[in-house]
């Protein structure tokens, strides 16, 4: 039976872990700690508080998004492009002016301005911010919002076409 040199000298043969082995153990311990914290927060004594806090944060974010869209809509918008059935319409030819505006006010009031003529109405945005409803006189028009930011708006209405507006500063 061969004798190991370290045994013959009475030494213990230790093998130190490599850098890769130490990194693996560190990642495993971090993962176990992370899973343990998640379990403690979502299944432990504070789970109800955490769940209610998460729901509250999601609701507040949704309300903020809705109010942000409404507040960005407030102001005067000019019609810059009108497309019907894939063909661009001439705004000046139809309205006899290029000065076609929509004015949205904070209290839900609305004005449609064509040259020097003004038409009044009311506006509202759907809960999920995908529809703009404008009521003017006996007419109610529902627009599907394709693009909306603080500077530009693109919306479509069945039978009327697609309208592109820019905010007037």
């Amino acid at each position: 039976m061969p004798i190991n040199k370290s045994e013959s000298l009475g030494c213990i043969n230790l093998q130190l872990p490599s850098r890769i082995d130490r990194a693996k153990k560190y990642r495993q311990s971090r993962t176990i700690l992370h899973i343990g914290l998640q379990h403690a927060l979502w299944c432990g004594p504070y789970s109800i508080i955490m769940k209610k806090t998460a729901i509250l944060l999601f609701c507040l974010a949704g309300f903020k998004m809705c109010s942000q869209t409404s507040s960005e809509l407030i102001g005067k918008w000019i019609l810059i492009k009108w497309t019907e059935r894939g063909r661009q319409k001439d705004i000046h030819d139809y309205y006899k002016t290029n000065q076609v505006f929509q004015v949205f006010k904070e209290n839900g009031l609305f004005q449609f301005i064509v040259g020097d003529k003004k038409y009044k109405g009311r506006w509202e945005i759907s809960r999920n911010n995908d529809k703009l409803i404008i009521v003017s006189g006996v007419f109610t028009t529902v627009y599907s919002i394709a693009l909306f930011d603080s500077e530009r708006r693109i919306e479509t209405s069945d039978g009327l076409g697609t309208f592109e507006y820019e905010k007037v500063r």
Side-chain angles (χ1 to χ4, degrees), residues 96-115:
K96 308 298 185 227
T97 181
N98 285 330
Q99 302 298 308
V100 180
F101 298 99
Q102 288 183 336
V103 181
F104 297 90
K105 298 182 181 178
E106 284 187 29
N107 54 2
L109 294 178
F110 170 79
Q111 273 189 331
F112 183 62
I113 303 171
V114 180

Side-chain angles (χ1 to χ4, degrees), residues 51-70:
K51 289 174 186 174
K52 286 183 179 181
T53 303
I55 290 170
L56 179 66
L57 289 175
F58 284 122
C59 290
L60 288 176
F63 289 133
K64 174 68 177 162
M65 195 167 140
C66 181
S67 65
Q68 180 182 5
T69 305
S70 295

